[in-house]
Each structure stands twice: as structure tokens, then as C-alpha cells.
Amino acid sequence: MDLTGTMLRAAAARPRVLVVGMPGGAAVRLAAERLLRLRDWPPAATPAAADLLLVAGPLCPYLHTALERLWQDLPAPRARAHARTADGVPAALDAARARLASSAAQREQEPPAGTDSRPPHDRRHGQGAEQDGARGHPPREKPAQDGEHGEQPAPDRSDSRDTGPDGAHSSQQHHSNHGGEAEGGGGGDAHEDHRNHGGTEMPRGLPMAGRGEDRDGLTLDRLHVPLGPFLSDWPAGLTLRLVLQGDVVQAVVLDEVPPSALRSVEPFWVQPWLRSAAGEAVGSGEAARRRAAARLDSLGRLLTVAGWPAEAMKAHRLRDDLLDGAPAAALASRLQRLARRVGRSRTLFWLTRGLGVVSARDAQAAGASGPAARADGDVAARYRQWLTDIRHDVARLDDTSALDPAEESARGRWDARNPPSAALVALLPRLLDGTELAAARLIVASLDPDLDELAAHSTEGTARG
């Protein structure tokens, strides 16, 4: 009896898939998420929990090292696929699934005896049990039981009575766990960070914690931790390098995206504005549809980070239906239920209140516009502003008037020379400074900058040159 083959086929029957969105790969990521939902293949949040790695979008040479390190973090049996276009997603997943179920394919992936398959940089730092922890990806564990780690916020009974303290505690505990998984996750180049900051090396290139005074004058360990570029529900291509003392962020440095990496990127969410600027006739209703879908995408990512996957899935289904051209009448009742449940959730509000406050004045000074500026407040104010804006846009789907160039895109007033996401990215260091690591992911998700927008500026600059 081929026991190995039987076990591989069982694993391939319903594989867990880690989708890695590349810059310029938004449309491919959306197609992958939808197909996984239709096939009932569970998404994986970390490499340690994944059977398949799906790279969505064009390859970016500057991210190659990080991508290879991420692949090495997947435990065997494993398979890898790359879909460059949305149409290529089904074939890529089918081929990867076949490799996952094949004993021969798995043997081919194994390194020859006496060799180390990790990238050369990682081999320089030895081996050992610390490797998974050093990269911020815990080893596989059995799924949490009902109520353990707070898989989603406690049932929201805000229509009748306040959510109890037990529900709030469960949601916060999940929030902390989710933030902990982000430590160093996503294949950031920790060795480069070590070279910049000094310290004693550990396995996988992570530096030993140094010493420094915290905000209370105490001398505590300081650890340099990269977030990104391949965290789940994270802006594609974004890398933040944090200095942590305990779980408090003491400093933030943004990794700049090489301009050459953006020249072949085609932004997805601002297509109506790009086409209008090129002289094409674009209706306001079409722009409203794309804008509402973008904000539902951002809302779903925020809800996933907050530990509410059920409502995140509802937001993403509405997003997909909008992109498929569903009429407003078919969406209105579902959107109303989502807005009522999310907007009135006391647990979600408690989890996000006071985090990442951006006043209207601060937004104006940073050049930010759109929901982040109009919300004039914290993470809770921003997701509630999204809900208001989405309802307004869905009511305008049938508007056939020409798109006004001054009408804002999903993240603010569109200007290819100064994309709205550039201002959102510039806000991050100040907003994250002094926050807990678990809160940092919620703040980033509530702004959800789209680095693909920077490609429009890069392309325009190249054309002028």
C-alpha cells in the first residue's frame, strides 16, 4: 500500500493556499480569492499553515529574495504556482494541486543528501529549531477550538444589548495573536536590516536584541523587525522596518520601492481615472462601481486582520459581485446588513477606537484626501466612513454622466503626479510610532495604501524624460 501517496492525495483534496500578491497583481489576487472561495479551499495566513503558494501578478526582481525565503518557510509537502494574469489562476492552481498530490514531484523538490536548499544568505547563519520563530512564522498547530483565540469578534448583539466583556477579551486575544504572526513575516530582508543597525547575528539573519531606553526611561531590549512585503491582507510590496521594545513600536522606517520596479505595473483600482485622463469616455457609475469595490476590498482585509472572517467574506462577496456588474437592486439589502452589523459592532469599535488617529488638519498637511481625511479620526472612524461611502456609491451605479476628473478615487483625489496612496504611506511612520505591534496591523489596514498607484507617477515621469 502506498501510504505516502494516499496521504499526499488527502492533503491535495482541500489544500490550504497562501496567496502572495505582487505589485501590479491586484486583479490576479482578486481572481484567486474568488476561485478559492468557490472551491472551498481554505486560505492560509502564514507559510507554516500553507500547502500551496500562489504568486499572483508579474514577477518583481527586487522581491525575488524575499519570495524565495517565503517559499523555503513552507513545510513539506508543498507546491508552488505562479499566475501572471487572472485568466491563468485556475490552471496554475490545478497544476500546483497535482504536484502536491504527486510523490515524484515532492521527491524532486527535496534537496540532494548533504545539501541545504535555503538561499545562500540563510545558509550562512546556521540551522536549528529557532528558524521558524526567527522568521515570525510559528510551526503548524492544530486549529483553534471554538472560542479559542477568538476566531471572530463575539456575536454582536448591539441591536438589543451590549456585548459582554468575555466577547471583547476573546477578540483582543485574537488581535494580539494575529499581530504576533506578523513579526518578521512576509520575507523582509532581516539581514540587510542587521547590517544597518548592528548587533549579534542569529539564525536566519535576524539580529540579537540591542539595548536602549524606552519612553519611560527604562533600559530594555530593542529588536529590529521587518513587516512585509508578503504578509496576508497587507498592501502588496510594502515593507516597514520596526524597532520594537517589548511589543511597542519605537521607530519605523519605510523601504522605498525601486522606480524601475513600477514601470511595468498597471494599477487596477484607478483604471477608470486613468482611462478618462487618456481621453476615453468613462461614466460616473462605472467609476463609482470600481471605487465601492475597492473600499469593500479594504474593509474585508481590515475585518480579517481584526479577526472577523465571516463578515470579511461577506464584504469580499459584495466586492466580487460589484466587479461582475451586479445591479444596485441586487446588492442593496446585503450591503445594508453588512453595514449595520459592522458599523454597530461594539466589539469591533472597542478593538479599534483610539488607534491611528488622523485629524482632518493632519490629513491636509500630509496631502491626504478621501475617506482618511473625511473620517477625521481613528481606525473606527475610517471603517465607518468606508461604509458610508460604499452605500453612497452603490446608489450611483446607474449614473451615466461623464466622470469628472476631480471626482475622488478609492483612496482620494486622483492625481497621477501625486497619487493619494503616496500621502497615506507617508502617514504611517508617525501613526505607528508608540503603538503596540498588534495595533500596527490594524492601522495599516485602515489606510490600506495601494502602492500600484505609484506606478502612474513613475510611468508619467518616464514619459516626460
Side-chain angles (χ1 to χ4, degrees):
M1 179 179 178
D2 182 9
L3 182 59
T4 299
T6 301
M7 295 179 66
L8 288 175
R9 288 189 293 273
R14 191 168 177 261
R16 293 165 291 186
V17 182
L18 178 63
V19 179
V20 171
M22 304 293 283
V28 187
R29 172 180 64 83
L30 296 176
E33 290 176 357
R34 179 173 186 175
L35 185 59
L36 292 179
R37 189 171 66 246
L38 292 175
R39 292 185 175 185
D40 193 28
W41 291 9
T46 65
D51 303 306
L52 301 183
L53 173 66
L54 177 64
V55 181
L59 287 179
C60 296
Y62 84 100
L63 294 175
H64 175 75
T65 300
L67 186 60
E68 289 304 311
R69 186 174 292 120
L70 187 72
W71 167 242
Q72 295 302 328
D73 283 344
L74 263 72
R78 60 183 180 171
R80 178 176 177 174
H82 180 205
R84 288 176 172 81
T85 65
D87 292 340
V89 170
L93 285 176
D94 289 340
R97 184 184 189 184
R99 288 194 295 273
L100 182 65
S102 168
S103 301
Q106 292 302 312
R107 284 194 297 269
E108 289 176 1
Q109 291 180 164
E110 295 178 0
T115 65
D116 191 339
S117 64
R118 291 174 296 156
H121 157 68
D122 287 340
R123 293 200 295 270
R124 290 197 297 270
H125 300 287
Q127 306 179 49
E130 299 124 298
Q131 291 176 359
D132 282 337
R135 295 301 308 154
H137 302 307
R140 291 193 187 199
E141 299 175 354
K142 69 175 183 178
Q145 303 299 318
D146 291 344
E148 184 179 352
H149 304 319
E151 283 223 351
Q152 65 181 53
D156 181 16
R157 302 181 178 88
S158 55
D159 290 344
S160 58
R161 62 182 184 274
D162 197 358
T163 303
D166 291 341
H169 173 73
S170 176
S171 178
Q172 180 65 52
Q173 187 177 19
H174 177 94
H175 175 200
S176 299
N177 290 340
H178 202 111
E181 289 176 1
E183 277 189 44
D189 192 344
H191 183 56
E192 179 67 30
D193 191 65
H194 160 70
R195 290 196 299 267
N196 292 338
H197 299 285
T200 304
E201 294 178 0
M202 286 179 65
R204 304 298 291 262
L206 282 179
M208 289 285 286
R211 292 287 181 131
E213 289 190 357
D214 76 346
R215 297 167 188 271
D216 297 322
L218 302 175
T219 300
L220 301 176
D221 288 343
R222 305 182 71 179
L223 184 64
H224 299 273
V225 176
L227 287 186
F230 295 137
L231 288 170
S232 60
D233 299 291
W234 180 262
L238 177 66
T239 302
L240 303 175
R241 299 189 181 276
L242 312 182
V243 178
L244 298 179
Q245 285 185 308
D247 63 347
V248 177
V249 178
Q250 300 290 340
V252 182
V253 176
L254 287 165
D255 270 11
E256 293 187 7
V257 179
S260 59
L262 298 173
R263 288 172 188 156
S264 61
V265 169
E266 184 176 356
F268 177 77
W269 294 117
V270 295
Q271 276 298 307
W273 287 264
L274 294 177
R275 288 163 43 210
S276 177
E280 184 178 341
V282 179
S284 292
E286 180 183 352
R289 182 179 294 275
R290 185 63 62 99
R291 184 171 52 232
R295 288 169 179 166
L296 281 165
D297 181 60
S298 296
L299 177 65
R301 286 146 71 99
L302 173 65
L303 292 174
T304 301
V305 172
W308 206 354
E311 295 304 307
M313 182 178 293
K314 293 175 184 176
H316 285 166
R317 283 175 173 166
L318 282 167
R319 172 201 68 190
D320 293 343
D321 290 345
L322 272 168
L323 293 174
D324 283 346
L331 304 171
S333 60
R334 292 162 55 200
L335 178 58
Q336 183 178 1
R337 287 195 296 272
L338 176 71
R340 182 171 59 246
R341 181 148 174 79
V342 173
R344 296 181 182 180
S345 171
R346 289 188 173 93
T347 303
L348 183 62
F349 174 76
W350 172 84
L351 187 67
T352 57
R353 64 181 178 181
L355 300 181
V357 175
V358 178
S359 67
R361 178 179 297 179
D362 291 340
Q364 182 179 8
S369 56
R374 282 184 277 109
D376 190 21
D378 55 10
V379 171
R382 288 194 285 276
Y383 74 70
R384 287 176 170 176
Q385 185 66 54
W386 279 341
L387 291 169
T388 298
D389 292 346
I390 292 166
R391 292 197 299 268
H392 176 71
D393 279 334
V394 169
R396 298 181 55 207
L397 296 183
D398 297 328
D399 188 349
T400 58
S401 62
L403 173 62
D404 183 350
E407 189 172 331
E408 70 177 32
S409 63
R411 290 164 176 84
R413 290 186 299 273
W414 177 248
D415 182 355
R417 293 168 298 181
N418 187 23
S421 286
L424 298 180
V425 170
L427 284 170
L428 289 176
R430 180 183 66 81
L431 294 179
L432 301 185
D433 188 20
T435 67
E436 294 182 359
L437 179 60
R441 287 218 58 189
L442 283 171
I443 295 171
V444 173
S446 72
L447 293 174
D448 198 24
D450 180 12
L451 271 65
D452 291 358
E453 291 182 0
L454 307 184
H457 174 61
S458 175
T459 303
E460 184 175 278
T462 302
R464 286 199 305 268

